[in-house]
Amino acid sequence: MDLLWFLSALSVFTLQERAGTGAMTLKSVLLRQLRPGGGASACSPAQHSRRRRSWVWNQFFVLEEFTGNDPLYVGKLHSDVDKGDGQVRYVLTGEGAASIFSIDESTGDIHATRRLDREQQAYYTLRAQARNRDTNRLVEPESQFIIKVQDVNDNEPKFLDGPYTARVAERSPVGTSVVTVVATDADDPTYGNSARLMYSILQGQPYFSVEPKTGVVRTALPDLDREVRDSHLLVVQAKDMIGQIGGLSGSTSVTVILTDVNDNPPHFPRRSYQFSVRESELVSTVVAKIRAVDPDEGPNAELDYRILDGDGLGTFSITTDSHTQEGLITLHKNLDFETKSSYMLRVEASNLYVDARFLSSGPFSDVATVRLLVQNVDEPPVFHSSVSWMMVSEAAAVGTEVGSVLARDPDATNSPIRYSIDRQSNLERYFHIDSGTGVITTAQPLDRETVAVHNITVVATERLDPSLTGKAVVLISVTDVNDNPPSLAIDYDTFVCENSEPGQIVQTLSAVDRDEPEEGQHFLFSLSEAGQNLSFTLRDNKDNTASILTRPGGFLQRDQLLHLLPVVISDSSRPPLSSTNTLSITVCTCDAAGEPRSCRQGAPLLLLVSLQSAVTAAVLTCILTLLGVVVVTAAIRRRRRDPLTVVAERCVQENIVCYDDEGGGEEDTEAFDMLALRHLNTTGQSHQTQARTLTSTSEPTSEGNWLFLPFIRERLQQADLDSAAPPFDSLQTYAFEGSGSSAASLSSLNSLDSFNSQECQQNYDLLKEWGPRFRKLADLYGHRQTSLLKHVFLSLHDCCHHFHSESKNFMNI
């Protein structure tokens, strides 16, 4: 094609062949150019002059892969202008000029200086020039030519996509296409046989063949069996020169994998199987596994198991494990060794998917026999029913029989059964069960309103083996009796306006009853006869509600703030029960729409009641505390008695009229100056001590005397001013004796001073004088008594102070 293009481009040249050399001579024929200014016609021969020149090539092709030592001669350039005198110089330009191709400037001979490879470049485009050696001008126009590299068989075929992997179904017919292999040859397919290939199998006969020209690999045998051999390795060769001797060749591998078809039925390795099953196995437990063998794979090996017949058809079932294709025999009912000790099953295994092409070879299924032996185990007691319902009236007396349960030992030993109630289900111990008979009786009074249904668990234990127990649930429903009277449904907050009209509904009442009669609740409402109210009346609505209505007369807060209305509610049972409920109705001032504006006058009354309650509680507390003080004081005094000391005789606690020096009686005590009596037995006292006044002597020496001092002063003043009053020796003596008396104060009231001083009604310092043995006893006993009395009296002081504060707050309110 390149040569044709070259010849068409040089259509003005003529081609002739030189005899003997085989070289091609191209002569150029150029049109004479129009002379400038010529007037002749362009078509007139007289007006044109022609000039004829020619190029000469000796060769147009060059062989690739030339390995000679000298440059390879390609061809020759020649111009008619060249007279052979050396005045014409030939120049070569274009692809490969000077690097691959060289030219002799004088002769025009062209040589290839390097080995050429057609597979890298098939042709070269060059330009040739003829120039005057002296002037370097073109003596001929520049011309273009092509040097084409001629192909030789220097490339072997290659499988660019190999190695190959192909799949074909087993048992495929002969000639089934498996894969097409393709080899390529880099040589020129248009020149000779260098690129004409022929395919053949070097390895893989007799199972497969290949078409020589197309490379299609096909099956050659009809019974390729995947179960015998699941893959084949082929070696395919491609050779050029149409497979002739001397041609080049290449090869590739083809791995053919046989895919499975369902051409094999399943079969059991054994005709019969035997398994042991414990009778205690739970339902839905897998008790045995069998497996049929199928040499196929994938979906073709999926099996389906079913029980054809046998005496265990309803007791056992069989399913297929989708992962292992095993038949799982599952327990469908509970077993009992004493009832039946063995079972027989006939099991079939078959393919889920069957290929109709292979049905002629036989059925795609197999049958085996499975025997199941039941093993005896010691079973726990079994109740006749796992859940029992019983009923008992809430009015039933303790010991009433509710019902009974029954359990048995399923084993052949038939061990005796002992019954009991699970403590966790009978925490309140409402029921009792007879351990031998299973009879359940009431152990406490029942109340349906507290617990309507009792859920208890009864335990049956074998007497021979207490570790074996069975349980059953017993639900005991408590039936209702009419033992609760009806009452108001809620605590009503009822008010009535001062300007209410007669017959106005103040409140609509409803009732509730904790009982549940079978016919439903029916309540009757009425007002108590003892509490008939002139301001209100009650109307029973006959629908378990009642309305409170106003009577004529009106209401005023200042006359009566609160109305208490006793409402009697009765139920419809036989005999009926009733209750009286007090409804509080507050009188309020209302606006024109009947909305209450002020009901606050009732606040002082409520506040008064609450304050009275608080004050009453405080008074009771103080009284109880005072009683406690008296009891503690009496106990302490009883412990303080000591007959060994003489000082105890001076500390008189019961006799309040014991003096060191008695006077002439009550008249003498009032006639004489008491200062003299106070200092009769005093020796060594200073004049200032004897001159103490009545006021200074009577002042308390302890903070604990403040509670009694006003009372003493008041009684003393009454005695001094009233000559006809009965004698008060004790008060006068207690008030004015003390510091001046040799016996010190005899008053129990002054004993409060012991809280702030080291003195006490009973002085145990005398024990210290008896020696080291008694000193510790005196310190211990004296300190204990003082601390206890101080604690008791301070508690009494705080209680009374609290009572005084509460009373003061109440009075302020």
Side-chain angles (χ1 to χ4, degrees), residues 119-427:
E119 286 70 39
Q120 292 183 358
Q121 188 166 348
Y123 61 89
Y124 297 86
T125 302
L126 300 171
R127 292 182 176 275
Q129 297 178 355
R131 294 181 178 272
N132 186 285
R133 188 178 296 275
D134 296 332
T135 63
N136 201 30
R137 289 185 177 182
L138 291 173
V139 297
E140 291 285 352
E142 184 181 67
S143 299
Q144 178 177 296
F145 64 97
I146 294 175
I147 299 178
K148 193 171 185 180
V149 180
Q150 187 174 1
D151 183 52
V152 296
N153 189 18
D154 57 347
N155 293 280
E156 71 277 3
K158 294 182 179 180
F159 293 91
L160 301 180
D161 297 328
Y164 295 86
T165 300
R167 296 176 180 271
V168 64
E170 63 173 337
R171 308 286 185 180
S172 295
V174 176
T176 301
S177 175
V178 178
V179 68
T180 300
V181 295
V182 177
T184 58
D185 195 323
D187 293 327
D188 189 359
T190 64
Y191 180 77
N193 297 324
S194 298
R196 297 181 65 182
L197 306 180
M198 183 72 70
Y199 298 94
S200 62
I201 287 185
L202 301 182
Q203 178 181 327
Q205 295 94 351
Y207 305 103
F208 299 92
S209 64
V210 62
E211 293 184 356
K213 294 183 179 181
T214 62
V216 176
V217 178
R218 299 181 184 275
T219 58
L221 292 179
D223 296 325
L224 295 177
D225 192 355
R226 186 200 64 83
E227 288 72 32
V228 175
R229 183 176 179 182
D230 60 355
S231 65
H232 295 264
L233 181 62
L234 311 180
V235 177
V236 179
Q237 182 189 66
K239 189 174 183 180
D240 58 13
M241 301 298 292
I242 320 177
Q244 297 176 2
I245 297 176
L248 303 179
S249 64
S251 62
T252 186
S253 64
V254 179
T255 301
V256 180
I257 299 175
L258 298 180
T259 59
D260 185 63
V261 296
N262 193 9
D263 57 342
N264 294 280
H267 68 279
F268 286 102
R270 297 164 55 184
R271 293 293 91 191
S272 63
Y273 298 86
Q274 181 171 302
F275 301 95
S276 296
V277 184
R278 293 168 56 91
E279 67 171 337
S280 60
E281 292 291 351
L282 300 177
V283 174
S284 300
T285 301
V286 176
V287 297
K289 296 180 180 180
I290 59 175
R291 184 166 187 255
V293 178
D294 191 334
D296 296 324
E297 65 179 5
N300 297 321
E302 293 182 3
L303 302 178
D304 179 36
Y305 296 90
R306 65 191 184 100
I307 300 176
L308 297 178
D309 51 38
D311 55 4
L313 186 60
T315 307
F316 300 92
S317 62
I318 189 168
T319 57
T320 304
D321 188 328
S322 59
H323 295 91
T324 63
Q325 296 302 313
E326 291 178 311
L328 307 180
I329 300 177
T330 305
L331 183 63
H332 193 63
K333 293 181 180 180
N334 290 322
L335 299 177
D336 187 5
F337 173 81
E338 289 72 21
T339 303
K340 189 173 180 59
S341 60
S342 65
Y343 294 88
M344 188 71 70
L345 303 175
R346 210 160 64 92
V347 179
E348 179 190 58
S350 59
N351 282 131
L352 282 177
Y353 309 101
V354 179
D355 194 333
R357 295 177 300 171
F358 307 103
L359 286 177
S360 59
S361 61
F364 278 73
S365 63
D366 197 10
V367 178
T369 302
V370 179
R371 186 180 183 189
L372 299 168
L373 302 179
V374 181
Q375 291 182 341
N376 186 28
V377 295
D378 196 1
E379 300 174 89
V382 178
F383 281 90
H384 180 70
S385 176
S386 60
V387 179
S388 301
W389 283 87
M390 301 179 184
M391 299 182 65
V392 63
S393 173
E394 65 175 328
V398 174
T400 302
E401 181 177 338
V402 179
S404 63
V405 294
L406 179 63
R408 65 178 182 85
D409 183 7
D411 299 318
T413 57
N414 196 17
S415 173
I417 304 299
R418 181 174 59 85
Y419 300 95
S420 62
I421 297 178
D422 189 349
R423 293 286 297 274
Q424 296 299 322
S425 64
N426 191 31
L427 294 177

Side-chain angles (χ1 to χ4, degrees), residues 20 79 83 160 238 274 387 392 612 654 672 780 812:
S79 174
K83 304 300 183 179
L160 301 180
Q274 181 171 302
V387 179
V392 63
Q612 288 178 349
E654 288 79 9
F672 295 96
L780 179 61
N812 291 336

Side-chain angles (χ1 to χ4, degrees), residues 524-546:
L524 300 176
F525 297 85
S526 62
L527 292 179
S528 174
E529 296 180 358
Q532 290 293 334
N533 194 290
L534 300 178
S535 300
F536 300 94
T537 183
L538 182 143
R539 183 183 66 198
D540 194 334
N541 298 326
K542 306 301 181 181
D543 60 353
N544 290 339
T545 64

Side-chain angles (χ1 to χ4, degrees), residues 573-752:
S573 300
R574 296 291 181 270
L577 295 180
S578 63
S579 66
T580 301
N581 302 262
T582 301
L583 178 66
S584 300
I585 304 176
T586 306
V587 180
C588 302
T589 58
C590 304
D591 55 17
E595 296 296 331
R597 292 187 302 178
S598 173
C599 301
R600 291 180 296 175
Q601 293 187 7
L605 178 60
L606 298 176
L607 181 60
L608 178 62
V609 173
S610 62
L611 289 176
Q612 288 178 349
S613 300
V615 172
T616 302
V619 172
L620 290 176
T621 303
C622 290
I623 292 174
L624 293 176
T625 305
L626 185 58
L627 291 176
V629 169
V630 173
V631 174
V632 173
T633 304
I636 294 176
R637 291 180 183 276
R638 189 178 299 110
R639 294 177 57 186
R640 284 171 44 193
R641 296 173 183 174
D642 191 348
L644 299 177
T645 177
V646 181
V647 182
E649 297 178 356
R650 301 179 183 178
C651 192
V652 180
Q653 300 178 11
E654 288 79 9
N655 189 0
I656 63 175
V657 290
C658 178
Y659 304 111
D660 283 347
D661 191 358
E662 291 281 343
E666 289 81 6
E667 296 180 355
D668 293 339
T669 59
E670 293 187 3
F672 295 96
D673 186 7
M674 298 303 295
L675 293 175
L677 294 175
R678 294 175 58 192
H679 298 286
L680 288 177
N681 298 328
T682 305
T683 58
Q685 297 292 337
S686 63
H687 178 71
Q688 291 81 2
T689 303
Q690 295 177 358
R692 289 177 181 175
T693 62
L694 176 65
T695 305
S696 62
T697 358
S698 62
E699 289 297 325
T701 60
S702 174
E703 295 179 0
N705 294 334
W706 67 271
L707 189 61
F708 306 95
L709 185 58
F711 175 75
I712 295 175
R713 286 179 177 175
E714 180 182 359
R715 302 297 288 181
L716 179 61
Q717 186 177 6
Q718 292 177 1
D720 291 340
L721 297 178
D722 188 6
S723 58
F728 287 90
D729 290 343
S730 60
L731 292 174
Q732 296 177 28
T733 302
Y734 297 162
F736 297 104
E737 285 193 331
S739 60
S741 174
S742 60
S745 175
L746 300 178
S747 173
S748 62
L749 298 176
N750 287 337
S751 64
L752 292 173

